[in-house]
Amino acid sequence: MSSRSTHKRILSAVALLVLVLTSACQRDEVENAVTSNRIMLRIEEDRPTTTRSSENSLKIPFEINGRALSLSLGEQEDEVLAEQETRGAALDNTTNPITKIVVTALRDNGDIYFRDAEVSISGNQGISSLFWPQEPLSFFASSTSSEELTLHPTFMRDGERCKGSFDYTLPAAGSSPKKDATAQPDVLFAITPDRSLATSSEVHLTFHHALSAILFKVGTMPEGIQLKSISIGGVYNAGHCELVDLGNEELQFTWSYAGKSQNATYTEEINQQAVSGEQMGTAETIFMMLPQTLGNNTLLRLGFTMDGIDYLFEKRFKEIIPAWEPDKKYIFTIGLPDKIDVEIDDQVAGNVKSQVTITNTGVATGYVRAAIVGYWRNAMGEVSEAWQASDGKFTYATNWSTYWKQGADGFYYYQLPLEHDQQTECRLFESYTLYDAVSDAHIGQSLEIDLAVQIIPLAAKSLWSELDHLE
């Protein structure tokens, strides 16, 4: 069967930055310092940019002159972005690494110990001219994917909580009224409270994305249709953000837009023939947008050329998803449903059927299930009798139950997703041998045993309850 594969993911904590702060002596002075007494900052990656998984998915169909397309939304876990060609793309500390952080430290009483200390990162290390005091400090750090972007956040302690706030406006592309994706940098923050040399010489800063990443990919396009541009219109481009430490290196971002207009438009020119499965253009097609509830006038516009004629498709974004949340990545695929299919092969020798393989021959990753069906045919080729599994003997691999689960509906469910051109690691059965007595009782007849195999995309996993326990 054929289905569409949707990928859902979202943007979560980017990389664990471990600030190793060491000092030969505890003091407040920074004058006449030597390198060995300075705070050492060492960046160690915990994980690349990942997404927070969700099973929600949505496919939006539409037509251009009777030619059906679809728009799908998904979240995909553990995605590493392709090599970045612009600093406007999301930071992940691997392919588009952080090269500078800005650090502020507050004392327990809320006084500033140091503010906006810029530390360049090279080879995962940075050396500061600052030193540990004899009291605990709370650390606040920020970074962006734009060397030219300057943030002016305010940080404070409010009882046991560490908080911050800042105003932000998405930059435009030069003087042009068109605001394209290359001009929108990533913005990250981290807060780690109450650290001192008495407790640990390391300060862990887990950075989180204050913005939402909106990424578009191209699915299979019908013949003769060329995607030309993508626009997001009717959005806030300026707002105020409050951030608060929730503990366990987690941050909460709350955006507000009092007195702001929700009418900005951001556009990315494509001007290329869409290719199945490829990301449009380069990684700079990631729109780093302000998190917000999407209004009635928030529109997704897709510019097409079909048979030499230009078309513009518009759809309210809220019909796809009601809001963009901070620290998440939303991946949209535009095009026809990606091909998803399976292929079955086997060997038959005498009364033995073996070497059964199930392969995902489609483009998209999916789950498979299989039913074993059979029947006897007489000399005229007519179905004469139903086959019974008890007419022979199945043999299975010793680890069969690790990979397969039999459902009440008679199907066997493979418990791992299959990628393109991937076979099941464990066969549904190793062999089936027809008993001689049964074969003798059906002289002049032939037995046909087949597998009815189905495959669904990852996002449709919940349709098969036998997979509900899978994460």
Side-chain angles (χ1 to χ4, degrees), residues 66-91:
R67 300 192 186 187
L69 297 174
S70 65
L71 173 67
S72 67
L73 164 64
E75 298 180 57
Q76 176 180 331
E77 192 171 1
D78 294 332
E79 176 182 356
V80 179
L81 297 178
E83 182 179 354
Q84 312 300 344
E85 298 184 13
T86 170
R87 296 296 293 176
L91 292 167

Side-chain angles (χ1 to χ4, degrees), residues 210-441:
L211 306 180
S212 304
I214 315 299
L215 174 62
F216 291 91
K217 291 185 177 181
V218 176
T220 305
M221 300 294 288
E223 185 68 26
I225 293 183
Q226 183 176 359
L227 186 60
K228 303 287 286 185
S229 66
I230 301 173
S231 292
I232 301 176
V235 296
Y236 290 113
N237 71 326
H240 177 77
C241 182
E242 300 279 341
L243 56 151
V244 60
D245 164 49
L246 298 179
N248 297 320
E249 301 177 340
E250 289 293 325
L251 288 186
Q252 175 180 291
F253 298 95
T254 302
W255 285 86
S256 58
Y257 301 98
K260 307 295 183 181
S261 61
Q262 196 173 13
N263 60 8
T265 297
Y266 293 84
T267 301
E268 179 67 21
E269 302 293 340
I270 305 301
N271 291 322
Q272 69 177 45
Q273 180 63 46
V275 180
S276 175
E278 286 192 3
Q279 184 174 311
M280 292 183 290
T282 64
E284 64 193 27
T285 57
I286 301 174
F287 291 71
M288 303 301 301
M289 307 299 292
L290 299 188
Q292 57 195 276
T293 300
L294 304 175
N296 289 327
N297 296 325
T298 305
L299 298 177
L300 172 64
R301 298 186 180 97
L302 305 177
F304 290 91
T305 296
M306 186 176 69
D307 300 330
I309 302 175
D310 292 334
Y311 296 89
L312 183 64
F313 168 78
E314 291 188 350
K315 190 169 188 67
R316 289 182 179 178
F317 232 113
K318 64 183 296 185
E319 297 176 12
I320 306 172
I321 189 170
W324 298 326
E325 298 181 27
D327 207 16
K328 283 194 175 184
K329 180 198 299 175
Y330 299 89
I331 301 176
F332 296 84
T333 300
I334 300 171
L336 292 173
D338 292 333
K339 179 183 178 183
I340 185 167
D341 208 348
V342 289
E343 181 177 273
I344 308 161
D345 197 8
D346 60 23
Q347 293 183 8
V348 178
N351 288 350
V352 180
K353 185 183 184 75
S354 62
Q355 301 297 315
V356 176
T357 61
I358 300 174
T359 305
N360 178 5
T361 57
V363 175
T365 302
Y367 287 96
V368 299
R369 67 179 181 180
I372 305 173
V373 295
Y375 41 83
W376 291 91
R377 290 186 182 273
N378 59 26
M380 303 296 294
E382 300 167 336
V383 175
S384 58
E385 185 180 343
W387 163 77
Q388 303 293 328
S390 58
D391 289 345
K393 179 182 180 180
F394 283 103
T395 61
Y396 302 92
T398 55
N399 59 347
W400 183 89
S401 60
T402 302
Y403 294 93
W404 292 93
K405 178 182 178 181
Q406 186 175 15
D409 54 6
F411 278 93
Y412 296 89
Y413 291 80
Y414 191 66
Q415 301 296 290
L416 298 176
L418 293 182
E419 298 179 354
H420 166 67
D421 208 28
Q422 182 182 13
Q423 292 183 358
T424 58
E425 295 182 28
C426 176
R427 293 189 178 96
L428 178 59
F429 58 89
E430 292 298 303
S431 66
Y432 177 77
T433 303
L434 189 66
Y435 293 134
D436 290 341
V438 175
S439 179
D440 292 344

Side-chain angles (χ1 to χ4, degrees), residues 146-189:
S146 172
E147 299 294 340
E148 302 174 357
L149 182 64
T150 301
L151 295 173
H152 299 285
T154 299
F155 299 114
M156 62 176 290
R157 287 189 62 98
D158 183 5
E160 297 299 319
R161 292 292 186 188
C162 290
K163 298 181 178 181
S165 64
F166 64 98
D167 294 310
Y168 185 67
T169 300
L170 289 175
S175 59
S176 171
K178 179 186 70 177
K179 305 175 179 66
D180 65 52
T182 62
Q184 302 158 25
D186 198 3
V187 179
L188 303 96
F189 286 90

Side-chain angles (χ1 to χ4, degrees), residues 448-469:
E448 295 184 9
I449 299 178
D450 298 317
L451 298 185
V453 180
Q454 299 174 336
I455 185 168
I456 60 172
L458 295 179
K461 181 182 68 175
S462 60
L463 297 178
W464 291 351
S465 60
E466 288 76 5
L467 301 175
D468 284 348
H469 66 286

Side-chain angles (χ1 to χ4, degrees), residues 436-447:
D436 290 341
V438 175
S439 179
D440 292 344
H442 291 81
I443 293 177
Q445 295 180 307
S446 61
L447 174 62

